[in-house]
Amino acid sequence: MTTVDREEVVVLTEALIDGAISPEEFTRLEKWLKDDPTARALYLEHCSVDALLRWRWQSEEAAVKVNDEENASENIVTFPVLGRFAFKGMMKIAAAAAALLLVGVFLNNRDSDSVGQLAVVKATEGTKWRVVSGAEDKSGRQTLLVTEGSLEVAFASGAQARIEGPSLFEIRGANEAVMEWGKGSFQVPEQAVGYSVDTPWGKVVDLGTAFDLSVSNDGLAEVLVTEGKVRILSKGDQRELTAGESLTMSHSGLSNNEVPVTSLEGQGGTYQKLIRKSNPVAYWPFDGKVGDFITEKGVVQLVAGPRTPEFALFDASNTAAFFGDQGMLRKQDLGANSVFDFDNGDEITIEAWVNPAKQMKEGGIVYIVGKGRTNNLTFLKDNQNFSLRLWKREGQMKVSFLFRSAPDAEWEGDYHRWTALRGFVAGEGWHHIAVTYRYGEPGSVKTYQDGELVVGEWDMGGATTRRPVVDDDELWLGSAMGSKKGNKFTGEVDEVAIYRQILTAEELGKRGSQSKGK
């Protein structure tokens, strides 16, 4: 399909939505949609975006009443795909707005040109979502990205799914789906027994039941049966669960629910007690009972961490995480105004123990932990809210703090980087690093290494009082920028903690002094 062809599909789609399409144009669009999978994908995506924009505009004037029978002809919209055009009258603005709330999803039959309605998607008011991929072949799969709110998906088989944002969910057929990541609740009546949901690590097959499914961005898929029975298939293994039972699927197969890496439960050793006493909003002690943690790319393995007697505050069995070439961890934000959203006036402290690999190249900047700048499709590319990094300069690993100021009418935004003026040599052992900052007060920033305050400078973007970019993008450990190799940390990490307060020099000194065996 040429650029001119693409433009024609978009123009004809807009004419259809506006109710201004002629019979000849209607026939032309119908042929495009029947013959060309790229045209179908363009059509569905354009309808979704157009409906979203119109709905937002229209909602300021009057609410759309989806369940009002008198307005049913205006509120129910079926996207015309593959020759089936089922809508009543002209597609007015109100109908286009309602397209966000009730969308018929059609998929191409694998063996013929006939069409079957495989699912109907209904969005709750205020939900933000769109179709991110369409049918590129005869499979006709549709992937839905929910960034906020929830979708109710009614499959033709009778199965019902409620998908909570943020989630990436694929409608694969009349009785099957894929949960790439996110959360969903599923109700499956008797006539839909056999309904299945695939995850990155296995499949849930219904045996007449209701179940909840959660797939985290660090790769774990957790299943909880609330009614009836399901069968779980993973890595050649299979198990059946009944109401009240749950398990976890991972790259290593099936297991009972594992200890989450962010758990604050338990006391741990003396060092862990110091951390918890300061009330972190996120803490990764890497002292779980499993053999490794699952990531999207590669495995983060548990290895020996700082231990007594060299590090007196740590247990003799303390473990840390080893990040290999592809290893990384991801954690979803908790939504608007979460504990991971830092704005002007907010205080932040980030600390970690690190032992980076000595082969890191001069000039490389690697991430310990950061929020934003992930290259996730639903967020601005330049959206770093905070980050703790290491920059190899003059042969030393220097602590670096980076964030992005938010754009406004007179400002396009910029990166602001604070870097310590001295560091340590990679590969020589464990070091404690930390940064503290009060957003909007550039003079408040401080960096610490091994318990000591280290002088630094704003060496990019300059000091600023501007507010940072704040959104609901993920937190990543060990990587950034879509797992770009140049920003990938390789080595060992332990005791990563984030606080919504500025820890004192005394507190950080007590932690970091362990680096010197004091």
Side-chain angles (χ1 to χ4, degrees), residues 149-170:
S150 62
L151 294 181
E152 295 178 3
V153 184
F155 289 82
S157 64
Q160 301 277 338
R162 183 180 181 87
I163 309 303
E164 303 289 340
S167 291
L168 190 64
F169 184 74
E170 178 184 317

Side-chain angles (χ1 to χ4, degrees), residues 295-451:
T295 66
E296 183 176 80
K297 295 182 178 180
V299 176
V300 179
Q301 297 176 331
L302 289 179
V303 296
R307 293 179 174 181
T308 189
E310 182 180 2
F311 304 99
L313 295 180
F314 287 93
D315 291 342
S317 59
N318 180 54
T319 55
F322 172 77
F323 287 75
D325 290 339
Q326 294 294 318
M328 59 174 289
L329 293 174
R330 303 170 65 176
K331 179 176 177 60
Q332 292 184 13
D333 191 10
L334 304 178
N337 302 314
S338 79
V339 294
F340 302 130
D341 296 342
F342 291 85
D343 207 337
N344 267 7
D346 293 336
E347 297 179 344
I348 187 171
T349 296
I350 314 173
E351 64 171 325
W353 282 75
V354 296
N355 184 16
K358 63 181 179 181
Q359 65 267 28
M360 180 176 170
K361 295 181 179 179
E362 178 71 19
I365 303 178
V366 294
Y367 276 71
I368 307 304
V369 61
K371 183 175 187 292
R373 210 184 187 194
T374 62
N375 290 354
N376 282 338
L377 296 177
T378 50
F379 301 98
L380 296 174
K381 186 175 182 179
D382 297 318
N383 66 335
Q384 190 89 78
N385 185 242
F386 63 79
S387 63
L388 175 64
R389 315 182 309 165
L390 289 172
W391 185 4
K392 188 172 184 179
R393 300 178 65 186
E394 302 170 336
Q396 293 186 329
M397 305 299 290
K398 300 182 179 181
V399 179
S400 177
F401 174 69
L402 180 77
F403 72 92
R404 177 86 179 185
S405 54
D408 57 33
E410 301 177 352
W411 177 255
E412 65 178 3
D414 199 359
Y415 283 105
H416 304 273
R417 182 178 63 201
W418 174 269
T419 306
L421 295 183
R422 68 173 176 87
F424 59 88
V425 178
E428 66 177 13
W430 286 100
H431 291 271
H432 180 268
I433 60 174
V435 62
T436 64
Y437 183 55
R438 181 180 297 109
Y439 284 89
E441 299 181 20
S444 67
V445 65
K446 294 180 180 180
T447 45
Y448 294 83
Q449 176 184 308
D450 298 334

Side-chain angles (χ1 to χ4, degrees), residues 182-248:
K183 296 180 180 180
S185 298
F186 302 84
Q187 295 278 343
V188 185
E190 185 176 353
Q191 70 268 22
V193 168
Y195 174 82
S196 65
V197 182
D198 276 308
T199 77
W201 303 111
K203 176 182 290 190
V204 183
V205 180
D206 164 76
L207 301 177
T209 188
F211 63 93
D212 296 333
L213 176 63
S214 175
V215 181
S216 66
N217 275 330
D218 57 15
L220 297 178
E222 298 185 13
V223 184
L224 170 63
V225 181
T226 56
E227 180 182 344
K229 182 188 296 185
V230 301
R231 178 177 293 118
I232 312 296
L233 307 173
S234 178
K235 299 293 182 179
D237 189 11
Q238 67 174 354
R239 299 184 192 178
E240 290 189 359
L241 301 180
T242 58
E245 295 182 329
S246 64
L247 58 69
T248 298

Side-chain angles (χ1 to χ4, degrees), residues 74-285:
E74 293 291 322
N75 289 332
I76 298 179
V77 178
T78 301
F79 283 4
V81 178
L82 301 177
R84 175 176 293 187
F85 291 79
F87 66 98
K88 299 182 179 180
M90 305 302 277
M91 207 176 213
K92 302 175 184 178
I93 288 180
L100 179 66
L101 302 178
L102 190 61
V103 179
V105 179
F106 289 84
L107 303 180
N108 187 16
N109 186 287
R110 295 176 184 267
D111 301 318
S112 69
D113 289 335
S114 63
V115 180
Q117 183 175 358
L118 298 190
V120 174
V121 181
K122 180 179 179 181
T124 58
E125 185 174 351
T127 294
K128 299 178 182 178
W129 71 284
R130 65 188 177 96
V131 178
V132 295
S133 67
E136 299 299 335
D137 55 32
K138 288 187 177 182
S139 68
R141 299 174 181 175
Q142 298 291 337
T143 302
L144 312 177
L145 179 64
V146 188
T147 57
E148 185 176 320
S150 62
L151 294 181
E152 295 178 3
V153 184
F155 289 82
S157 64
Q160 301 277 338
R162 183 180 181 87
I163 309 303
E164 303 289 340
S167 291
L168 190 64
F169 184 74
E170 178 184 317
I171 298 173
R172 178 169 286 181
N175 207 34
E176 58 180 328
V178 179
M179 179 68 80
E180 297 289 350
W181 50 264
K183 296 180 180 180
S185 298
F186 302 84
Q187 295 278 343
V188 185
E190 185 176 353
Q191 70 268 22
V193 168
Y195 174 82
S196 65
V197 182
D198 276 308
T199 77
W201 303 111
K203 176 182 290 190
V204 183
V205 180
D206 164 76
L207 301 177
T209 188
F211 63 93
D212 296 333
L213 176 63
S214 175
V215 181
S216 66
N217 275 330
D218 57 15
L220 297 178
E222 298 185 13
V223 184
L224 170 63
V225 181
T226 56
E227 180 182 344
K229 182 188 296 185
V230 301
R231 178 177 293 118
I232 312 296
L233 307 173
S234 178
K235 299 293 182 179
D237 189 11
Q238 67 174 354
R239 299 184 192 178
E240 290 189 359
L241 301 180
T242 58
E245 295 182 329
S246 64
L247 58 69
T248 298
M249 291 179 277
S250 71
H251 83 301
S252 57
L254 303 177
S255 64
N256 293 329
N257 284 332
E258 300 172 353
V259 178
V261 298
T262 55
S263 174
L264 296 180
E265 299 298 326
Q267 293 299 309
T270 302
Y271 188 90
Q272 283 75 22
K273 291 177 182 178
L274 284 177
I275 299 291
R276 293 185 172 96
K277 186 177 180 180
S278 299
N279 297 317
V281 295
Y283 179 30
W284 288 268

